[in-house]
């Protein structure tokens, strides 16, 4: 039996080393130089080329190397009987919580304006956005969303949350799927942490932005396909939104001629909000590999019917 690591444009040697540090007896192969395809029963993937997993006849499990699984579900050539799972480790949640807190504070304290002013040697003070006008609405209260909500609450931000099912929490108000308008009506700073599914594709559109409480700001750290890009431009130009921080884009890398680059109200980071640490991921991957070999339930298994 062997474990396959597969990703386009990513050095997987550090992950292989970390896996062997957890268990030196593992047989780990890195795509595309795979010696024996028949022996592969477990694959760890980040954006593998579509259909390539069809070449492994004994594949039982595919694990995403990150939290998102849209890249696995869009490959319809992966047999329905192959179980899907993902890597969610504490540092992934911590980084995301820090990234979002930082984005909220940058908006609140006018960081982008001061960076521009420094470049021009220009001294001018701006009022911070009052905390009372920074109610943060977190869309998606899963592993990432709950970590983000907790860190904002520790930093004394008011938080509301929205998810398919209502959460029984006492630190913030949780809204269910059919309560989207009530959630938006309470939200100034909208943070998208939804998985990309048929239901959530294109959810961040002009109609939704208009329902936010003013002043309104957008932070998208989930997937670029959640956002209708031209609606964001229109919302910024018409004052529906004050600004946006985007870590994810419909096309990545964001093309050099993309409209977003020249918009001062849009902060851009290159899909780095939270990155899987190979050392931490290795223990979870080995645990799931061993569970798969002994027929036990997997940790963080994906529900294919829900799409996440
Ligand atoms: P989870 O699967 O743990 O949580 C998903 C949440 O979204 C759940 O609360 C779920 O509701 C909710 N949800 C799903 N569908 C809907 C819907 N139709 N309407 C309302 N709520 C819905 O995901 P994670 O928190 O682990 O990750 C979220 C996403 O973050 C990933 O899919 C990935 O795209 C992105 N990500 C981005 C990173 C980056 O660096 N930019 C890094 C890591 C993740 P319920 O609780 O009721 O099931
Ligand atoms: C993830 C990501 O889903 O990095 O983990 O986007």
């Amino acid at each position: 039996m062997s474990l396959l690591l597969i990703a386009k444009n990513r050095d997987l040697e550090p992950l292989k080393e970390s896996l062997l540090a957890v268990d030196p007896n593992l047989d780990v192969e890195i795509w595309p130089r795979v010696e024996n395809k028949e022996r592969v029963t477990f694959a760890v993937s980040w954006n593998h080329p579509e259909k390539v997993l069809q070449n492994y006849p004994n594949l039982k499990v595919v694990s995403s190397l990150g939290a998102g699984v849209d890249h696995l579900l869009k490959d319809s050539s992966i047999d329905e009987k192959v179980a899907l799972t993902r890597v969610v480790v504490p540092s992934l949640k911590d980084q995301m919580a820090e990234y979002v807190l930082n984005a909220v504070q940058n908006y609140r304290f006018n960081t982008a304006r001061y960076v521009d002013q420094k470049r021009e040697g220009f001294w001018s003070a701006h009022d911070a956005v009052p905390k009372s006008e920074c109610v943060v609405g977190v869309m998606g209260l899963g592993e990432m969303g709950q970590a983000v909500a907790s860190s904002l609450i520790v930093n004394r931000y008011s938080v509301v949350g929205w998810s398919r099912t209502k959460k029984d929490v006492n630190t913030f108000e949780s809204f269910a799927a059919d309560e989207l308008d009530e959630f938006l009506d309470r939200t100034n700073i909208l943070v998208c942490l939804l998985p990309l599914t048929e239901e959530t594709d294109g959810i961040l559109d002009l109609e939704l932005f208009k329902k936010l409480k003013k002043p309104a700001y957008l932070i998208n750290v989930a997937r670029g396909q959640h956002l209708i890009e031209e609606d964001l431009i229109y919302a910024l130009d018409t004052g529906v939104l004050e600004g946006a921080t985007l870590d994810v884009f419909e096309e990545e890398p964001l093309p050099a001629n993309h409209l977003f680059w020249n918009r001062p109200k849009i902060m851009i980071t290159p899909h780095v909000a939270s990155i899987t640490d190979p050392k931490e991921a290795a223990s979870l991957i080995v645990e799931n590999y061993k569970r798969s070999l002994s027929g036990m339930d997997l940790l963080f298994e994906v529900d294919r019917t829900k799409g996440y």
Side-chain angles (χ1 to χ4, degrees), residues 148-165:
V148 164
S150 304
S151 99
L152 289 162
I153 289 163
V154 167
N155 285 280
R156 298 175 195 211
Y157 282 92
S158 296
V159 171
V160 289
W162 182 71
S163 48
R164 222 172 35 82
T165 53

Side-chain angles (χ1 to χ4, degrees), residues 87-287:
V87 168
V88 181
V89 286
S91 68
L92 202 66
K93 300 198 266 186
D94 290 349
Q95 287 174 67
M96 185 58 86
E98 286 174 37
Y99 179 99
V100 172
L101 177 62
N102 191 44
V104 167
Q105 311 265 48
N106 281 341
Y107 159 61
R108 184 164 172 235
F109 295 110
N110 303 295
T111 305
R113 287 176 88 175
Y114 292 130
V115 169
D116 287 346
Q117 286 183 198
K118 177 180 178 255
R119 200 176 298 120
E120 285 157 26
F122 177 58
W123 179 284
S124 171
H126 308 285
D127 290 337
V129 184
K131 222 166 185 171
S132 57
E133 293 181 5
C134 289
V135 177
V136 185
V138 182
M139 299 181 98
L141 294 172
E143 299 292 335
M144 302 295 142
Q146 296 219 20
V148 164
S150 304
S151 99
L152 289 162
I153 289 163
V154 167
N155 285 280
R156 298 175 195 211
Y157 282 92
S158 296
V159 171
V160 289
W162 182 71
S163 48
R164 222 172 35 82
T165 53
K166 210 178 185 108
K167 303 294 168 224
D168 186 16
V169 282
N170 53 21
T171 46
F172 63 90
E173 199 171 343
S174 156
F175 293 88
D178 61 357
E179 298 172 317
L180 180 59
D181 285 2
E182 291 94 314
F183 161 79
L184 296 170
D185 189 49
R186 295 277 301 283
T187 297
N188 295 113
I189 302 176
L190 185 68
V191 178
C192 181
L193 271 166
L194 291 166
L196 182 65
T197 64
E198 271 175 30
E199 286 170 16
T200 66
D201 196 324
I203 191 168
L204 302 175
D205 66 4
L206 186 60
E207 287 317 302
L208 178 140
F209 298 145
K210 283 184 183 164
K211 291 178 183 164
L212 291 167
K213 203 161 77 169
K214 292 266 177 60
Y217 190 86
L218 172 70
I219 300 173
N220 187 18
V221 272
R223 285 293 178 264
Q225 290 80 353
H226 286 124
L227 173 67
I228 305 295
E229 294 191 340
E230 53 275 25
D231 283 11
L232 173 62
I233 298 286
Y234 186 85
L236 293 172
D237 287 351
T238 53
V240 172
L241 288 177
E242 300 299 314
T245 293
L246 307 177
D247 182 56
V248 287
F249 303 88
E250 215 171 299
E251 187 180 345
E252 294 180 8
L254 188 64
N257 62 353
H258 197 285
L259 273 181
F260 286 173
W261 288 115
N262 293 323
R263 294 280 165 158
K265 291 181 180 171
I266 303 180
M267 293 281 276
I268 292 176
T269 52
H271 202 143
V272 291
S274 180
I275 293 174
T276 306
D277 169 35
K279 286 205 182 81
E280 222 182 327
S283 308
L284 175 58
I285 293 168
V286 173
E287 169 73 27

Side-chain angles (χ1 to χ4, degrees), residues 23-39:
D23 183 347
N25 297 318
L26 290 178
D27 187 352
V28 183
E29 304 247 39
I30 298 183
W31 178 84
R33 292 179 307 281
V34 182
E35 289 202 354
N36 188 344
K37 292 193 174 117
E38 312 259 310
R39 296 193 68 235

